[in-house]
Amino acid sequence: MTASGLRAGGLITRDRGLAMHIRIVSVGRIKEKAVQAAMDEYLKRLSAYGRVELSAVPDEPVPEKLSPALEGQVLAREGERLLRLIPAGTYLIALDVHGGQMTSEEFAGHLEGLAVGGRSDVTFVIGGTLGLSPAVLGRSQMRLSLSKMTFTHQLVPLILLEQIYRAMKIIKGEPYHK
């Protein structure tokens, strides 16, 4: 993600020419320079396989004391903005604390299986500090949890980029530090 918050392209898997278009759509921009630098490094590494598209929508201000009604409004507003960036027909994976977990090998196999099965357009969606709206979760075909641990919102796109890179290395049969 650059200062503009957008890169375009797709990822190529295997040498058979199996192409995937992968997007990461998130709430909020990356403010930490070190995290942004690490994300740029993974985008650079991924360029050997193609490109990945990143985009972000503005996050809503969240007061310290939040009523359930206001929480619902915040989620709904962020969700509407996210849904505008998610193309029809994409296979949507929502990053959700209540989602299923996978090993890196299982994740790589899932991505490869999607591509082989004709679902080569994949979008990952990352919510704001409150998570994702019911509308976004309802639109997703899969809910994925990166860990049972809690990460800062700034780190989630970086962790996801690293796992996509690791998946591409696994799919292509290339070594990667375990």
Side-chain angles (χ1 to χ4, degrees), residues 105-134:
E105 292 81 6
E106 290 168 339
F107 180 64
H110 186 70
L111 289 179
E112 185 175 31
L114 287 171
V116 169
R119 303 299 308 261
S120 60
D121 189 304
V122 178
T123 301
F124 294 89
V125 63
I126 303 168
T129 57
L130 300 176
L132 290 165
S133 72

Side-chain angles (χ1 to χ4, degrees), residues 47-75:
S47 70
Y49 305 97
R51 292 171 292 179
V52 63
E53 177 183 322
L54 301 175
S55 56
V57 301
D59 52 349
E60 287 288 316
V62 178
E64 195 170 310
K65 293 189 178 188
L66 188 67
S67 71
L70 187 54
E71 181 177 325
Q73 291 172 6
V74 167
L75 284 171

Side-chain angles (χ1 to χ4, degrees), residues 8-19:
L11 289 174
I12 305 299
T13 62
R14 298 243 173 175
D15 293 323
R16 298 180 306 197
L18 186 61

Side-chain angles (χ1 to χ4, degrees), residues 1-177:
M1 190 178 300
T2 62
S4 67
L6 182 66
R7 296 207 187 219
L11 289 174
I12 305 299
T13 62
R14 298 243 173 175
D15 293 323
R16 298 180 306 197
L18 186 61
M20 292 191 77
H21 185 138
I22 295 182
R23 284 178 209 83
I24 299 173
V25 179
S26 64
V27 172
R29 64 180 186 80
I30 303 301
K31 298 170 185 131
E32 299 291 331
K33 288 181 182 179
V35 173
Q36 184 62 60
M39 288 176 62
D40 288 343
E41 176 61 27
Y42 277 105
L43 288 168
K44 180 180 167 186
R45 291 180 188 189
L46 281 165
S47 70
Y49 305 97
R51 292 171 292 179
V52 63
E53 177 183 322
L54 301 175
S55 56
V57 301
D59 52 349
E60 287 288 316
V62 178
E64 195 170 310
K65 293 189 178 188
L66 188 67
S67 71
L70 187 54
E71 181 177 325
Q73 291 172 6
V74 167
L75 284 171
R77 284 192 292 267
E78 290 176 346
E80 288 170 10
R81 288 195 287 266
L82 288 168
L83 288 170
R84 283 194 287 266
L85 295 178
I86 298 169
T90 192
Y91 185 89
L92 185 61
I93 300 174
L95 271 68
D96 179 27
V97 68
H98 303 293
Q101 294 183 1
M102 297 179 160
T103 65
S104 295
E105 292 81 6
E106 290 168 339
F107 180 64
H110 186 70
L111 289 179
E112 185 175 31
L114 287 171
V116 169
R119 303 299 308 261
S120 60
D121 189 304
V122 178
T123 301
F124 294 89
V125 63
I126 303 168
T129 57
L130 300 176
L132 290 165
S133 72
V136 173
L137 290 172
R139 164 78 172 74
S140 67
Q141 283 82 23
M142 178 183 175
R143 295 181 189 187
L144 177 66
S145 171
L146 294 176
S147 173
K148 291 181 181 181
M149 294 181 177
T150 302
F151 301 113
T152 66
H153 186 69
Q154 295 282 303
L155 288 178
V156 174
L158 172 59
I159 294 167
L160 181 58
L161 277 172
E162 189 280 335
Q163 285 299 304
I164 292 169
Y165 174 69
R166 185 180 296 265
M168 294 301 113
K169 299 285 276 183
I170 291 169
I171 290 167
K172 291 193 64 88
E174 298 173 356
Y176 192 79
H177 178 69

